[in-house]
């Protein structure tokens, strides 16, 4: 399928751009409730999952149906942390293919990029895409407006 991704109906309603002719009446409803991190996530990824779940719950877009996608985002964020630690420890490059002459002096060597640099870059791209799906980037957030609940007057019961 080519072109732009279809905007979910609930986001059209929240953004105020919903039109009956462009809505999908047969779209499955999202399931409300508390999201729980899947068992396959590591301890750190579970922490990230819980942090993200709180953020999207506060934004009013949390759905139990999205737990797997949120788990992927948490796993990718953990991968970014791991790759960053590897790069900090080992550097962005390494020396390979060193050749010496008869007296032990270096004749040639190759300097290669650390594999963790490419892995982190790919994880960052994927995490950014997943987080944008939840409105967790400035541009994605600017496309959605959430109505704020009416604040109750604490003195209303007195009068």
């Amino acid at each position: 399928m080519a072109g732009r991704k279809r905007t979910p109906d609930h986001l059209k309603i929240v953004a105020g751009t919903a039109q009956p002719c462009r809505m999908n009446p047969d779209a499955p409803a999202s399931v409300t409730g508390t999201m729980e991190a899947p068992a396959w996530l590591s301890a750190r990824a579970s922490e990230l999952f819980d942090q993200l779940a709180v953020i999207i719950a506060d934004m009013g877009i949390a759905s139990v149906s999205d737990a797997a996608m949120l788990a992927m985002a948490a796993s990718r964020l953990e991968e970014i942390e791991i790759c960053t630690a590897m790069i900090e420890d080992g550097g962005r490059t390494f020396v390979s293919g060193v050749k010496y002459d008869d007296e032990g002096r270096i004749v040639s060597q190759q300097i290669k990029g650390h594999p963790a640099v490419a892995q982190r870059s790919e994880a960052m791209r994927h995490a950014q895409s997943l987080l944008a799906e939840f409105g967790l980037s400035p541009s994605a957030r600017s496309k959605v407006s959430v109505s704020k609940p009416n604040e109750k007057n604490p003195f209303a019961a007195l009068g």
Side-chain angles (χ1 to χ4, degrees):
M1 175 193 240
R4 193 184 290 191
K5 284 192 275 183
R6 185 178 169 98
T7 304
D9 289 344
H10 72 281
L11 289 181
K12 293 176 190 175
I13 293 167
V14 171
T17 60
Q19 296 178 11
C21 63
R22 294 183 181 165
M23 301 293 274
N24 180 2
D26 298 326
S30 60
V31 180
T32 57
T34 305
M35 279 198 261
E36 292 188 23
W40 59 266
L41 283 178
S42 68
R44 176 62 183 145
S46 292
E47 290 174 16
L48 292 166
F49 179 94
D50 292 339
Q51 291 171 4
L52 293 171
V54 168
I55 292 168
I56 65 169
D58 290 346
M59 291 172 65
I61 59 169
S63 171
V64 175
S65 309
D66 300 329
M69 188 108 151
L70 197 64
M72 282 192 292
S75 180
R76 281 307 225 175
L77 290 173
E78 178 193 28
E79 188 175 346
I80 292 167
E81 290 178 354
I82 291 168
C83 289
T84 299
M86 290 172 64
I87 294 165
E88 287 174 355
D89 289 346
R92 298 176 85 63
T93 60
F94 66 97
V95 177
S96 173
V98 180
K99 294 184 181 176
Y100 300 93
D101 63 10
D102 294 336
E103 296 175 9
R105 293 179 295 208
I106 296 175
V107 176
S108 67
Q109 64 183 7
Q110 294 177 332
I111 298 176
K112 295 184 176 183
H114 196 292
V117 174
Q119 291 170 356
R120 182 178 69 171
S121 179
E122 180 60 29
M124 285 180 163
R125 270 194 291 279
H126 191 210
Q128 184 221 1
S129 174
L130 290 167
L131 294 174
E133 291 286 333
F134 289 101
L136 296 176
S137 72
S139 63
R141 199 170 31 256
S142 69
K143 296 175 186 171
V144 178
S145 59
V146 178
S147 59
K148 295 178 183 164
N150 294 333
E151 292 184 23
K152 294 183 181 179
N153 183 352
F155 301 108
L158 298 175

